[in-house]
């Protein structure tokens, strides 16, 4: 497996650290948060440590369980995409051309 760019790794670590801080501020243990999500406590620990194989669903579930899900609405919001807005002037489409399948290259 090819490692993703360091910017991706750092973003996941930062998200995990932020979620850990939020959990501790709420005085929740790994086990209590895991029970809310229906996962093992090790899944929560993995997410907080920035383990790359942790699913996005776990991170989103953690946000939900700690009432932080509304903050996710800002992520990739098209109206905040300055580069995309600048590029969209002439040839904006509703969907991209069909590709040749997913690319696994980071």
């Amino acid at each position: 497996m090819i490692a993703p760019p360091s910017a991706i790794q750092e973003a996941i670590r930062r998200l995990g650290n932020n979620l850990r801080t939020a959990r501790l501020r709420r005085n929740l243990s790994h086990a209590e948060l895991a029970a809310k999500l229906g996962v093992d406590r090790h899944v929560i620990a993995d997410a907080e440590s920035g383990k790359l194989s942790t699913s996005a669903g776990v991170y989103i579930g953690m946000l939900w369980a700690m009432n932080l899900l509304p903050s996710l609405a800002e992520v990739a919001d098209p109206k905040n995409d300055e580069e995309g807005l600048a590029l969209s002037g002439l040839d904006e489409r509703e969907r991209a051309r069909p590709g040749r399948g997913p690319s696994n290259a980071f």
Side-chain angles (χ1 to χ4, degrees), residues 1-5 9 52 106:
M1 179 179 159
I2 297 173
Q9 293 177 21
L52 291 172
F106 278 106

Side-chain angles (χ1 to χ4, degrees), residues 59-96:
Y59 290 107
I60 293 169
M62 291 172 72
L63 290 168
W64 168 80
M66 294 186 286
N67 297 315
L68 294 170
L69 196 56
S71 62
L72 189 61
E74 296 297 315
V75 175
D77 186 336
K79 68 180 180 238
N80 297 330
D81 179 11
E82 293 177 20
E83 181 180 354
L85 288 169
L87 294 170
S88 70
L90 296 175
D91 197 18
E92 188 170 353
R93 327 175 258 242
E94 289 192 26
R95 61 182 227 197

Side-chain angles (χ1 to χ4, degrees), residues 21-68:
T21 299
R23 177 182 60 79
L24 293 173
R25 286 180 175 172
R26 287 160 178 76
N27 200 28
L28 292 169
S29 68
H30 282 159
E32 290 168 325
L33 186 54
K36 284 185 169 190
L37 297 178
V39 299
D40 187 84
R41 65 182 176 83
H42 294 100
V43 173
I44 302 302
D46 287 347
E48 289 181 355
S49 69
K51 188 173 181 182
L52 291 172
S53 63
T54 302
S55 77
V58 170
Y59 290 107
I60 293 169
M62 291 172 72
L63 290 168
W64 168 80
M66 294 186 286
N67 297 315
L68 294 170

